[in-house]
Amino acid sequence: MLLVRDDDAAAFEDLMNRYQNRVVSLMVHLVGHRDMAEDLAQEVFLRVYRARGRYVPGAKFSTWLYTIAHNVASNALRGLSRRREVNLVNRESGEFTGNPMDAKALAASGLMPTRQLDKAELQDVVKLAIAALNERQRIAVLLNKFEHLSYEEIAEVMQLSPSAVKSLLSRARSNLRDVLDPYLQQ
């Protein structure tokens, strides 16, 4: 980032390549739409580039980046709550459109369709449970579990104390447990 601050375009491209997938993934979890997440990730990197002259190497770069991502996501979520969007999606015909070789490889891998469905169903339930958390809990969980940030780093990103982050994550875990326990008991 110090090279980016000094207007090194190759260094900025390297930063984008290193962090873009992580920022997009975080945004998908926060806003729920892949297209919107990609747009928001571009906004994050645009803000990083615009703020490059003001960057001060005090904390880790990733903490600074996730602070910007948190702000962009919060603004987007506020905007979404103000307007209602309707998505029109074509229904699929149900035909198998994949490569037949992929189906053979899948069968040979030993992944039975029922196991795949169970895994996909569990992933959907976990995604819904995370989406059901309030915004602050969701961001804290995503930064902790998916981006492996420490309590101190999350506190800096969210402008909270580390003890507040610990409490927030504790409540989030409790809420997730309440939602997921009945499903896992089956």
Side-chain angles (χ1 to χ4, degrees):
M1 187 58 201
L2 295 176
L3 292 173
V4 173
R5 185 178 67 182
D6 296 335
D7 293 326
D8 184 334
F12 183 69
E13 186 176 343
D14 183 44
L15 273 180
M16 280 191 64
N17 288 336
R18 189 176 305 168
Y19 288 97
Q20 187 169 19
N21 289 339
R22 292 167 65 182
V23 171
V24 169
S25 176
L26 177 67
M27 292 297 185
V28 166
H29 287 292
L30 291 174
V31 299
H33 304 288
R34 179 84 183 172
D35 293 340
M36 184 178 188
E38 290 172 353
D39 291 343
L40 292 175
Q42 285 182 352
E43 175 68 22
V44 168
F45 286 106
L46 183 60
R47 288 187 186 192
V48 166
Y49 188 77
R50 285 182 185 152
R52 71 189 181 282
R54 296 186 308 269
Y55 177 73
V56 179
K60 288 174 39 179
F61 168 74
S62 61
T63 303
W64 186 68
L65 176 69
Y66 290 128
T67 301
I68 293 171
H70 171 256
N71 293 337
V72 168
S74 295
N75 291 342
L77 290 170
R78 271 193 301 278
L80 280 177
S81 69
R82 288 187 202 122
R83 66 175 192 263
R84 184 178 166 104
E85 292 185 9
V86 177
N87 293 324
L88 301 175
V89 180
N90 291 336
R91 293 181 182 237
E92 295 195 22
S93 65
E95 294 178 18
F96 178 75
T97 57
N99 182 346
M101 295 308 289
D102 292 340
K104 288 180 184 176
L106 183 63
S109 74
L111 292 176
M112 302 303 294
T114 55
R115 285 191 194 145
Q116 287 181 304
L117 288 174
D118 288 345
K119 185 177 179 182
E121 183 179 350
L122 180 59
Q123 286 174 343
D124 289 344
V125 169
V126 171
K127 285 179 186 177
L128 288 171
I130 290 173
L133 295 173
N134 70 43
E135 180 185 347
R136 289 168 42 126
Q137 289 178 359
R138 186 170 57 245
I139 290 171
V141 166
L142 293 172
L143 290 174
N144 183 253
K145 291 300 175 193
F146 295 103
E147 297 304 324
H148 310 290
L149 268 61
S150 68
Y151 288 173
E152 291 78 17
E153 292 167 327
I154 296 169
E156 191 172 329
V157 167
M158 297 182 71
Q159 299 175 342
L160 300 169
S161 69
S163 60
V165 169
K166 188 174 181 177
S167 174
L168 193 64
L169 284 169
S170 177
R171 286 191 310 272
R173 288 182 189 115
S174 176
N175 291 338
L176 287 171
R177 197 174 305 110
D178 291 345
V179 171
L180 294 174
D181 265 347
Y183 177 80
L184 295 174
Q185 296 298 325
Q186 294 179 350

